[in-house]
């Protein structure tokens, strides 16, 4: 098969790495890709904001299947445009992608369908937003309605911080039109969990659970980012909680979308808060998470192409999936100034020796090669991902890889996975026991 990946980040590198292993893969392309992806696939320059250019590229390459990484093309209707031309693609329609494209739509959808979520109010102007703030206790959450690359949520601990967030979004337009409307939301207490599925509209394939680390600094301090690291370990969810999420959140979401005339197909990310009262739904993403994809796919033992083809053909319910029981950890390295104004074009050194440690993989997120040097091109630069037989060993292995890397202004959190180490170890759920070992054999 000829496969095309759309995107250029760490998630897309993880996809390229995993797709490249498949015995079903004959040719692999990525548009536009990055320096790391170029080691797995042929990278093709393209403007991700131009759906027609992406359609034309898929036609020119005779791609049998296209996989979309980032949210913006999905929200812009790339799936509809591909399907009008008879091109196979994985992802939701433009109508279904509103679950991420508009936080207001998503929250009102949750409310209409009785999904467990935080109390909220929608404001279309600054006056209404400030009035709404007075009706919520501190801390309070302020969310921009539109796409903001993970930076459109502020957890304000004081009234001054909350008012500042409203003014940043609605007056200063720090997120452009994404902040034209805001949500004022109750702040839930607990630990966040990322629960991602692949669905063909009928069958549901849950991926292994992950926990993201959104804040810039250790101890969940500082501004929100696109994600500073993630880990995947079966201790995140008990089997009972896993089944409760499927029953009380996943199934009603898919049923609600079907009932409202926008059936959902593709990857769907449920951002959850695990509260004392049970799982509560924070948000949807209409694609794989980043950096969650990196540890998830590191644990996947099944052929990803087979799963995607089954999804496209509507037979996910008949497919078995196998996972490594071993946890995986991803530590993200960012540039100085991220998330506001990241510095770029810094030389990266030490990357040649990281994977020689064994059980470690560098997934590139914002890199390019110039004059035989690896350079940074954005905020989140690399994701050092490692696996081992237990979580403490996986964490140690990931940070051993991080220690070999260097670029001017390099920043990373030193507590990825630390919350999990405080838990009493639990037996792995049965769904993960079918697999053994760290990694499948690489594709020849």
């Amino acid at each position: 098969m000829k496969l095309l990946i759309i995107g250029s980040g760490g998630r897309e590198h993880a996809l390229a790495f995993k797709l490249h292993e498949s015995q079903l893969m004959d040719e692999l392309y990525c548009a536009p890709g990055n320096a790391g992806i170029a080691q797995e696939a042929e990278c093709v320059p393209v403007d991700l904001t131009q759906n027609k250019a992406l359609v034309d590229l898929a036609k020119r390459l005779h791609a049998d299947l296209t996989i979309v990484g980032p949210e913006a093309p999905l929200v812009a209707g790339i799936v509809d445009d591909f399907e009008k031309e008879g091109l196979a693609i994985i992802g939701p329609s433009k109508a279904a992608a509103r679950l991420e494209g508009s936080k207001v739509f998503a929250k009102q959808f949750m409310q209409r369908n009785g999904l467990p979520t935080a109390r909220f109010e929608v404001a279309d102007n600054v006056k209404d937003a400030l009035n709404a703030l007075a009706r919520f206790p501190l801390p309070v959450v302020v969310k921009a309605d539109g796409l903001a690359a993970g930076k459109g949520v502020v957890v304000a601990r004081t009234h001054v911080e909350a008012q500042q967030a409203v003014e940043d979004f609605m007056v200063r337009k720090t997120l452009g039109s994404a902040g034209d409307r805001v949500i004022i939301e109750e702040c839930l207490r607990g630990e966040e969990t990322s629960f991602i599925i692949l669905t063909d509209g009928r069958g549901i394939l849950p991926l292994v659970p992950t926990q993201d680390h959104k804040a810039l600094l250790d101890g969940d301090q500082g501004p929100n980012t696109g994600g500073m690291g993630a880990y995947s370990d079966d201790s995140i969810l008990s089997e009972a909680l896993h089944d409760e999420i499927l029953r009380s959140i996943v199934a009603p979401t898919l049923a609600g979308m079907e009932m409202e005339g926008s059936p959902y197909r593709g990857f769907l990310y449920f951002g959850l808060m695990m509260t004392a009262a049970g799982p509560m739904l924070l948000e949807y993403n209409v694609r794989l998470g980043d950096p969650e994809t990196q540890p998830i796919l590191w644990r996947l033992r099944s052929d990803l192409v087979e799963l995607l083809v089954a999804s496209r053909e509507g037979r996910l319910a008949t497919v078995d999936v196998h996972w490594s029981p071993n946890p995986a950890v991803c530590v993200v390295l960012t540039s100085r100034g991220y998330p506001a104004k990241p510095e770029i074009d810094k030389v990266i050194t030490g990357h040649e020796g990281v994977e020689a440690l064994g059980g470690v993989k560098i997934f590139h997120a914002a890199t390019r090669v110039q004059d035989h040097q690896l350079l940074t091109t954005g905020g989140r630069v690399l994701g050092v991902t490692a696996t081992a037989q237990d979580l403490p060993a996986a964490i140690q292995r990931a940070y051993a890889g991080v220690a070999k890397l260097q670029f001017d202004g390099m920043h990373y959190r030193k507590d990825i996975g630390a919350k999990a180490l405080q838990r009493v170890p639990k037996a792995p759920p049965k769904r993960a026991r079918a697999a053994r070992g760290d990694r499948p054999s690489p594709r020849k």
Side-chain angles (χ1 to χ4, degrees):
M1 293 183 68
K2 294 181 180 180
L3 305 173
L4 172 62
I5 302 167
I6 292 175
S8 63
R11 165 186 48 224
E12 289 75 39
H13 189 186
L15 281 166
F17 173 71
K18 193 64 190 176
L19 294 172
H20 191 267
E21 291 181 341
S22 174
Q23 297 294 328
L24 299 177
M25 189 278 296
D26 295 311
E27 297 177 26
L28 182 59
Y29 301 91
C30 187
N34 60 41
I37 294 173
Q39 301 170 25
E40 321 279 355
E42 181 179 337
C43 293
V44 185
V46 70
D47 184 347
L48 291 183
T49 68
Q50 300 298 315
N51 283 5
K52 185 178 185 305
L54 294 167
V55 169
D56 291 344
L57 175 62
K59 285 182 175 179
R60 187 168 74 250
L61 296 175
H62 301 288
D64 297 301
L65 185 64
T66 297
I67 303 96
V68 184
E71 61 275 19
L74 293 166
V75 172
I78 187 67
V79 170
D80 306 67
D81 292 340
F82 265 58
E83 291 183 341
K84 285 176 186 175
E85 298 294 327
L87 297 168
I89 187 169
I90 299 292
S93 66
K94 183 176 183 177
R98 288 178 296 168
L99 285 176
E100 181 170 4
S102 170
K103 288 186 175 65
V104 171
F105 173 84
K107 290 292 291 188
Q108 291 174 342
F109 170 85
M110 296 175 202
Q111 189 177 59
R112 285 195 303 273
N113 289 276
L115 290 154
T117 193
R119 182 171 69 89
F120 71 98
E121 292 187 31
V122 176
D124 295 315
N125 57 68
V126 174
K127 180 181 178 181
D128 288 349
L130 295 179
N131 287 337
L133 285 174
R135 294 188 283 273
F136 286 79
L138 294 171
V140 63
V141 181
V142 181
K143 294 181 176 181
D145 176 46
L147 296 180
K151 306 175 189 71
V153 178
V154 173
V155 180
R157 291 168 175 78
T158 68
H159 288 294
V160 172
E161 288 179 4
Q163 291 169 5
Q164 177 76 36
V166 168
E167 291 172 2
D168 283 345
F169 292 166
M170 304 191 84
V171 179
R172 298 181 186 89
K173 300 293 184 183
T174 55
L175 300 175
S177 61
D180 288 349
R181 291 197 297 175
V182 299
I183 293 171
I184 309 301
E185 185 175 285
E186 169 193 13
C187 185
L188 299 175
R189 299 184 183 277
E191 282 193 33
E192 289 193 42
T193 295
S194 302
F195 193 91
I196 306 174
I197 67 165
L198 175 62
T199 179
D200 55 19
R202 294 174 295 177
I204 298 172
L205 177 62
L207 310 186
V208 285
T210 51
Q211 187 173 79
D212 188 16
H213 297 64
K214 291 184 173 65
L216 180 67
L217 306 175
D218 289 1
D220 293 332
Q221 300 299 303
N224 266 6
T225 71
M228 293 298 299
Y231 70 96
S232 175
D233 181 60
D234 291 327
S235 70
I236 293 173
L237 290 177
S238 67
E239 195 159 4
L241 273 176
H242 180 273
D243 293 344
E244 181 183 346
I245 291 165
L246 286 173
R247 181 181 63 254
S248 66
I249 296 176
V250 175
T253 294
L254 297 181
M257 292 299 287
E258 180 83 29
M259 183 177 62
E260 296 189 10
S262 303
Y264 196 95
R265 298 178 181 86
F267 290 103
L268 183 56
Y269 171 120
F270 298 80
L272 305 174
M273 183 68 78
M274 310 306 292
T275 74
M280 301 282 281
L281 183 55
L282 299 175
E283 65 177 354
Y284 297 107
N285 291 332
V286 296
R287 33 71 189 188
L288 286 163
D290 187 345
E292 292 95 337
T293 301
Q294 291 86 310
I296 286 173
L297 293 187
W298 192 244
R299 295 185 64 195
L300 180 62
R301 297 293 306 273
S302 298
D303 188 315
L304 180 57
V305 177
E306 289 184 359
L307 300 180
L308 295 176
V309 170
S311 173
R312 181 67 193 173
E313 296 176 351
R315 51 182 181 84
L316 262 184
T318 68
V319 173
D320 291 325
V321 62
H322 301 285
W323 302 95
S324 167
N326 297 337
V329 178
C330 176
V331 179
V332 173
L333 311 185
T334 67
S335 298
R336 182 188 292 122
Y338 178 76
K341 294 182 179 179
E343 298 177 359
I344 63 170
D345 292 331
K346 304 300 181 181
V347 177
I348 303 168
T349 60
H351 52 95
E352 300 91 346
V354 172
E355 293 179 14
L357 293 171
V360 184
K361 174 72 178 177
I362 301 176
F363 290 115
H364 292 232
T367 61
R368 66 185 177 93
V369 174
Q370 179 178 308
D371 298 329
H372 305 291
Q373 289 185 314
L374 187 64
L375 303 178
T376 69
T377 63
R380 291 191 295 172
V381 179
L382 301 169
V384 180
T385 305
T387 186
Q389 289 189 342
D390 57 46
L391 188 59
I395 292 171
Q396 187 278 329
R397 189 174 281 178
Y399 280 107
V402 169
K404 291 186 171 293
L405 290 157
Q406 186 174 0
F407 57 87
D408 182 38
M410 185 177 88
H411 168 74
Y412 60 93
R413 283 184 57 162
K414 300 174 181 63
D415 62 348
I416 304 301
K419 289 178 183 177
L421 299 181
Q422 301 170 13
R423 301 191 194 104
V424 177
K426 300 180 179 68
K430 292 179 182 178
R431 63 183 182 279
R433 290 177 180 162
R436 293 291 182 268
D438 275 4
R439 301 289 303 139
S441 300
R443 184 180 187 275
K444 302 297 184 183

